[in-house]
């Protein structure tokens, strides 16, 4: 049976995806956003925090002007801001109506995450915070209340599929949703992440696995069918990957 069914018998046969926008120039970013929407993606992800706030606002505004108000827009700061900077940035970005922001503050600043969540400027997702020792426990602290609305699960960072799935199940118990995200791993791990995404207990959030354009030409084949902004998992045993004739050496 497919791996997703081994992880969860009620798993889904497809996974909705978000599209990662990687262009820095505004004209190219607008084209990339338009192409993603034309390709069926309903959620876009934009990196922020690496340049000035004015530049982040400009780029996010270009995306929103290009695609309209309906597609969801995720922001990902990769822990670039302090709490004060994150609050200022998220308030400045309110006009683009971000659906959520991944890891707005440093991974160790779980209290910063919790305070930002309480401001209700947008949903807050924990990402890198989950990878540090004791981070997941602090984010899902029952006494203090969850520090995030959403967990961005990178299975290859969290120890594999089973630890990531167990974390998603724990999160669901305290009202925190999850989605699977890519750490730009190879095709086998990417396929495994897609199966994990299909097995999550709460699967309404698009997975951050729309990174095929970044991997094009680096791997021999990717047999999961990506159409209309979603991955259709192959109904084959295990990962469903085909042998691809990769050259090997016996030396």
């Amino acid at each position: 049976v497919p791996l997703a069914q081994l992880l969860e018998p009620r798993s889904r046969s497809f996974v909705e995806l978000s599209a990662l926008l990687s262009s820095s120039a505004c004209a190219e970013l607008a084209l990339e956003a338009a192409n993603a929407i034309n390709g069926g993606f309903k959620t876009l992800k934009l990196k922020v925090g690496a340049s000035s706030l004015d530049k982040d606002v400009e780029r996010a505004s270009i995306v929103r002007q290009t695609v309209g108000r309906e597609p969801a827009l995720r922001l990902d700061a990769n822990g670039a801001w302090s709490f004060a900077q994150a609050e200022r940035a998220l308030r400045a970005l309110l006009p683009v109506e971000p659906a959520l922001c991944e890891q707005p503050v440093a991974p160790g600043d779980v209290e910063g995450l919790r305070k930002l969540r309480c401001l209700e400027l947008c949903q807050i997702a924990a990402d890198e915070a989950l990878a540090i020792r004791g981070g997941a426990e602090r984010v899902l602290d029952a006494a203090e209340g969850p520090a995030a609305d959403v967990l961005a699960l990178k299975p290859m960072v969290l120890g594999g599929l089973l630890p990531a799935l167990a974390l998603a199940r724990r999160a669901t118990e305290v009202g925190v949703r999850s989605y699977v995200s890519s750490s730009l791993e190879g095709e086998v791990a990417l396929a495994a992440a897609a199966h994990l995404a299909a097995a999550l207990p709460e699967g309404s959030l698009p997975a951050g696995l729309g990174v095929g354009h970044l991997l094009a030409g680096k791997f021999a084949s990717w047999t999961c069918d990506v159409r209309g902004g979603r991955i259709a998992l192959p109904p084959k045993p295990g990962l469903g990957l085909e042998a691809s004739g990769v050259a090997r050496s016996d030396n």
Side-chain angles (χ1 to χ4, degrees):
V1 299
L3 175 59
Q5 291 182 25
L6 292 176
L7 296 173
E8 170 52 61
R10 295 170 295 178
S11 64
R12 295 163 291 281
S13 60
F14 64 89
V15 177
E16 297 286 349
L17 302 177
S18 63
L20 175 61
L21 306 180
S22 56
S23 299
S24 55
C26 287
E28 295 174 359
L29 184 64
L31 180 60
E32 191 177 10
N35 288 340
I37 296 302
N38 291 335
F41 289 90
K42 298 179 177 63
T43 299
L44 307 179
K45 177 176 173 178
L46 183 67
K47 296 283 188 177
V48 294
S51 57
S52 69
L53 177 55
D54 287 343
K55 185 65 174 179
D56 285 339
V57 171
E58 179 186 18
R59 295 174 68 246
S61 299
I62 287 291
V63 171
R64 186 54 83 192
Q65 291 166 15
T66 300
V67 303
R69 291 294 171 186
E70 186 173 346
L73 179 60
R74 290 178 180 171
L75 307 175
D76 185 2
N78 289 121
W81 296 321
S82 66
F83 169 77
Q85 290 170 328
E87 180 181 1
R88 179 169 174 260
L90 293 180
R91 291 191 186 280
L93 288 159
L94 279 178
V96 302
E97 301 177 18
L100 62 79
C101 183
E102 287 184 19
Q103 201 61 52
V105 295
D109 188 10
V110 175
E111 288 311 307
L113 278 182
R114 184 173 284 109
K115 290 191 293 183
L116 285 171
R117 186 192 185 206
C118 291
L119 293 177
E120 297 184 347
L121 299 172
C122 68
Q123 291 205 316
I124 301 299
D127 181 356
E128 288 86 352
L130 305 176
I132 64 176
R133 184 181 296 275
E137 290 72 18
R138 294 180 62 201
V139 169
L140 299 179
D141 190 291
E144 295 289 336
D149 301 285
V150 179
L151 303 186
L153 305 173
K154 293 177 177 173
M156 301 310 125
V157 174
L158 298 174
L161 302 182
L162 296 181
L165 181 58
L167 181 55
R169 288 171 174 165
R170 283 169 49 202
T172 298
E173 293 174 357
V174 295
V176 175
R177 299 190 292 170
S178 302
Y179 59 81
V180 177
S181 189
S182 169
S183 48
L184 298 183
E185 55 275 284
E187 112 178 294
V188 172
L190 189 59
H195 281 270
L196 173 64
L200 290 187
E202 204 285 326
S204 65
L205 294 175
L209 302 177
V211 296
H213 61 296
L214 301 179
L215 303 175
K218 296 184 179 179
F219 302 103
S221 65
W222 168 238
T223 56
C224 286
D225 191 14
V226 182
R227 294 184 184 177
R230 59 170 55 177
I231 288 176
L233 296 178
K236 300 177 181 179
L239 294 176
L241 292 174
E242 298 286 351
S244 54
V246 176
R248 53 180 287 187
S249 171
D250 294 328
N251 296 326

